[in-house]
Amino acid sequence: MRVPAILFALIAVASSLPAQSANLPISVPAEAGETHLRNVRQLTNGGENAEAYFSHNGKRLIFQSTRDGRTCDQQYVMNVDGSKVQRVSNGAGKTTCGYFMNGDRSILFASSDALEKDCPPRPDASKGYVWRLDPFDIYTARADGSRRKRLTRFGVYTAEGVLSPDGRRIVFTSLKDGDLDIYVMNVDGSGVRQLTHQVGYDGGPWWSPDGKQIVYRAYHPANPTELKAYSKLLAQRLVRPNKMDLWLMDADGGNQRQITHLGAASFGPSWTADGKKIIFSSNHHTDPKLGNFDLFLIKPDGTGLEQVTTAPTFDGFPMFSRDGTKVVWASNRHDANPHETNIFIADWVD
């Protein structure tokens, strides 16, 4: 995320949505080779839980979850030990991409409920592996979910919002001008400005800790055949995610350059606390049909690729705490039922 809600198509839907266990957190062993991770704890247990991101003070997480009898994601907050889970979205439509702001007194997230009160339909399976671009807009609210305010009114996919380190701007992805591009706006929704213009999917933007750079993932059709296929799906509000690499740009949109050339689905980039490396999820090292994504580190110049997780299943949506001592991510490891996705947190060993 930053990865969007559509990337949840990478995770199979759980066959049932069991009640969350009260015996949390659960201590679990790191996998062989996961030398950066210590004191791994599972914070949720059952259903689909993902995109957990730290508050500024590192004491809470905002995340999206399918629970409470709903069939698509709503926004929740909890303490970093998994306690005091509270829903902070209104329960209608589908939500994604939560983030703390305003000194942790407020949150932002995307919701489809202005146009779709019910959960959006899943893509037509006959079209193969595609994601649906749900009609999200971005909202803010108090940290308890009250006083919700709609920031954007584009009525098309607009999500993946992340607050700048100085708290003044939000970077996000939108289909508002006919292609999937990255934009920036003030925290009140004013001053919207487009940062990317190349045809293709530019998304998942994340500020560097100093606010000077933005890392993102991108797929740019390489030839007329790819462009035709991309455009045809986009007209149906669909996209096929087979190839995405990481890109980097200055905060004003300048100096855009590709930093990975892995030829696979790489997504969900964010930064280490010192800004010296980028952490992301990718399946470039395995058969994409297996759904095995792992976390990797890379330097902003594209060198020093290093594998972080080794579980033979999905690991994604990583974020470091502001002090760099902890990392949170979503994983299918240790699932009680096949394909459940849960939130995990670990102490970071540099």
Side-chain angles (χ1 to χ4, degrees):
M1 90 248 334
R2 194 60 193 270
V3 89
I6 52 179
L7 251 162
F8 281 108
L10 294 169
I11 309 168
V13 179
S15 59
S16 62
L17 302 175
Q20 295 284 315
S21 169
N23 300 317
L24 295 169
I26 303 169
S27 293
V28 297
E31 299 288 327
E34 293 183 341
T35 56
H36 283 292
L37 307 179
R38 183 171 57 203
N39 191 21
V40 180
R41 288 92 72 199
Q42 182 177 337
L43 301 184
T44 64
N45 188 23
E48 293 182 6
N49 308 271
E51 289 211 54
Y53 300 118
F54 282 104
S55 60
H56 185 79
N57 65 13
K59 295 181 178 180
R60 289 189 295 170
L61 297 165
I62 185 168
F63 68 107
Q64 56 201 52
S65 180
T66 301
R67 59 174 70 197
D68 301 335
R70 294 178 174 83
T71 57
C72 61
D73 293 307
Q74 292 292 313
Q75 293 295 307
Y76 293 80
V77 296
M78 64 179 169
N79 292 337
V80 292
D81 63 0
S83 66
K84 296 185 178 179
V85 177
Q86 175 190 5
R87 179 166 57 83
V88 291
S89 55
N90 65 6
K94 181 180 180 179
T95 72
T96 187
C97 305
Y99 208 83
F100 282 95
M101 58 186 297
N102 189 28
D104 298 337
R105 294 184 294 273
S106 304
I107 55 173
L108 67 88
F109 59 91
S111 176
S112 69
D113 75 284
L115 294 179
E116 295 182 342
K117 296 295 184 185
D118 298 324
C119 289
R122 296 187 178 273
D124 182 353
S126 68
K127 298 182 183 299
Y129 179 51
V130 294
W131 305 332
R132 183 177 187 263
L133 300 171
D134 298 316
F136 293 113
D137 268 303
I138 295 176
Y139 294 78
T140 60
R142 286 186 172 180
D144 63 1
S146 64
R147 297 196 178 183
R148 195 176 77 147
K149 177 183 178 182
R150 186 176 177 183
L151 288 192
T152 65
R153 296 180 177 272
F154 305 139
V156 293
Y157 183 83
T158 301
E160 308 169 32
V162 175
L163 185 71
S164 62
D166 63 8
R168 299 171 59 186
R169 294 166 294 168
I170 297 169
V171 67
F172 63 98
T173 303
S174 181
L175 190 59
K176 66 183 286 298
D177 293 308
D179 196 15
L180 287 162
D181 281 302
I182 295 172
Y183 298 78
V184 68
M185 65 182 173
N186 299 326
V187 292
D188 63 359
S190 66
V192 175
R193 185 163 60 89
Q194 187 172 346
L195 299 183
T196 62
H197 297 84
Q198 192 167 344
V199 175
Y201 186 9
D202 297 296
W206 201 288
W207 305 90
S208 61
D210 62 7
K212 295 181 178 180
Q213 297 184 94
I214 295 170
V215 65
Y216 60 104
R217 68 170 185 281
Y219 163 68
H220 301 141
N223 55 58
T225 300
E226 287 190 5
L227 177 59
K228 182 178 180 180
Y230 172 80
S231 300
K232 183 177 179 180
L233 285 174
L234 197 65
Q236 304 171 64
R237 297 296 188 261
L238 299 170
V239 68
R240 199 180 306 279
N242 299 340
K243 295 180 181 179
M244 292 182 289
D245 270 297
L246 300 193
W247 285 61
L248 199 62
M249 63 180 164
D250 296 342
D252 63 0
N255 195 23
Q256 295 178 10
R257 67 271 194 197
Q258 186 174 345
I259 62 171
T260 68
H261 298 80
L262 301 176
S266 299
F267 73 97
S270 62
W271 299 74
T272 56
D274 59 10
K276 293 182 178 180
K277 293 183 181 181
I278 293 162
I279 190 168
F280 66 102
S281 183
S282 180
N283 67 348
H284 74 276
H285 61 309
T286 186
D287 183 345
K289 295 179 181 179
L290 298 177
N292 180 16
F293 284 75
D294 278 303
L295 303 184
F296 292 82
L297 289 170
I298 196 167
K299 295 179 181 179
D301 64 2
T303 64
L305 183 67
E306 178 187 0
Q307 188 168 344
V308 174
T309 62
T310 61
T313 183
F314 175 85
D315 289 286
F317 311 109
M319 182 189 180
F320 285 94
S321 59
R322 188 165 171 262
D323 63 6
T325 62
K326 293 180 174 59
V327 63
V328 66
W329 77 103
S331 180
N332 292 154
R333 65 180 67 196
H334 299 286
D335 49 1
N337 295 292
H339 311 304
E340 290 181 344
T341 309
N342 286 296
I343 306 301
F344 291 79
I345 192 171
D347 298 337
W348 181 255
V349 180
D350 201 355

